[in-house]
Amino acid sequence: MNHRETVNGRVLTAVRTGLRERADPVRAAGAGAYLKSTIPCLGVRVPEVRQIVSAAAAGAPFDSPEQLRATVLELWRGAVAREERYAAIDLTANRMVSGDMRMLPVYEEFIRSGAWWDLVDGTVGRLCGLLQANRTEMTAVLLGWSTDPDLWIRRAAILSQLKAKAATDASLLARIVDANLADPEFFIRKAIGWALREYGKTDPAWVAAFVGAHAAAMSPLSRREAVRHLAPVR
């Protein structure tokens, strides 16, 4: 069945209308310039986007995971404003699809076609949820992504355990980071530092040891970010 035939039209209408009602042209101009956005921004703040999405989904609940996926893809692919893509990502927080591997192609589309840090970073938390629920399958996926030609897919792999805390698979994190240490791309080097810094809040000794062992291969940017909150070695 074509996804257009199964969408939740009430949610789409509520989201699109709500976003336009809160548009701020002045803020939109600044956001567009900052993000170097290829599609217009409406100037709606991220917390407001989430409020709009939450109200829309509560007012017209999804009938099934299939309907949710169809609606999300319709909103994403038909977006004429950047905030519509933020809203599409926010809709995937619905518990109906939590841990559902059928969402992986949706998240991959977000990352490959979004192809910029705000959209990619907004999606990585969903990958973390999939990994926690589907360890074996997602470990293989993320290892594959760690060497993908698409830098945004690689960034997503690096950041995929950003919110995992004590549930982080340190071995997987190490393998993904190690595969990207030589990459000269800023967004990859920054991601490496960020991922290690976050895990350092849970296991600082592991991160300190990893950085020490890979100091020669790690870029100054990645290293600086990774150890930012670690206690200095005495």
Side-chain angles (χ1 to χ4, degrees), residues 30-221:
Y34 172 68
L35 293 168
K36 302 178 182 178
S37 184
T38 56
I39 60 175
C41 291
L42 294 172
V44 183
R45 298 179 184 277
V46 169
E48 291 181 302
V49 175
R50 289 178 180 151
Q51 290 170 7
I52 291 166
V53 167
S54 179
F62 291 99
D63 293 332
S64 65
E66 290 75 21
Q67 186 186 54
L68 187 148
R69 285 197 300 275
T71 304
V72 162
L73 289 172
E74 180 75 13
L75 185 58
W76 179 273
R77 293 170 181 171
V80 294
R82 198 166 197 88
E83 288 85 348
E84 289 177 335
R85 290 196 155 181
Y86 292 166
I89 295 171
D90 287 343
L91 280 172
T92 64
N94 193 298
R95 290 182 182 178
M96 183 179 287
V97 294
S98 177
D100 187 345
M101 282 297 291
R102 292 173 296 180
M103 291 299 294
L104 180 61
V106 176
Y107 302 144
E108 184 171 357
E109 180 171 335
F110 287 174
I111 295 163
R112 290 191 188 277
S113 62
W116 198 240
W117 65 265
D118 58 330
L119 299 170
V120 173
D121 296 359
T123 304
V124 294
R126 307 295 185 260
L127 300 177
C128 188
L130 289 185
L131 176 63
Q132 302 309 314
N134 308 274
R135 284 278 182 181
T136 301
E137 192 172 356
M138 278 302 297
T139 295
V141 168
L142 293 170
L143 286 174
W145 283 20
S146 71
T147 57
D148 194 277
D150 186 330
L151 80 90
W152 299 111
I153 287 288
R154 296 198 306 280
R155 180 177 170 96
I158 294 165
L159 298 177
S160 61
Q161 297 191 81
L162 201 62
K163 300 179 180 180
K165 298 182 180 179
T168 297
D169 181 338
S171 175
L172 175 60
L173 175 61
R175 292 174 69 184
I176 291 173
V177 168
D178 190 58
N180 287 276
L181 284 176
D183 196 312
E185 170 59 54
F186 168 82
F187 287 106
I188 295 298
R189 291 183 167 185
K190 188 78 170 180
I192 289 171
W194 187 13
L196 292 173
R197 185 176 77 238
E198 283 301 302
Y199 188 46
K201 296 174 182 178
T202 297
D203 192 341
W206 186 94
V207 171
F210 183 89
V211 172
H214 296 81
M218 191 175 290
S219 73
L221 171 60

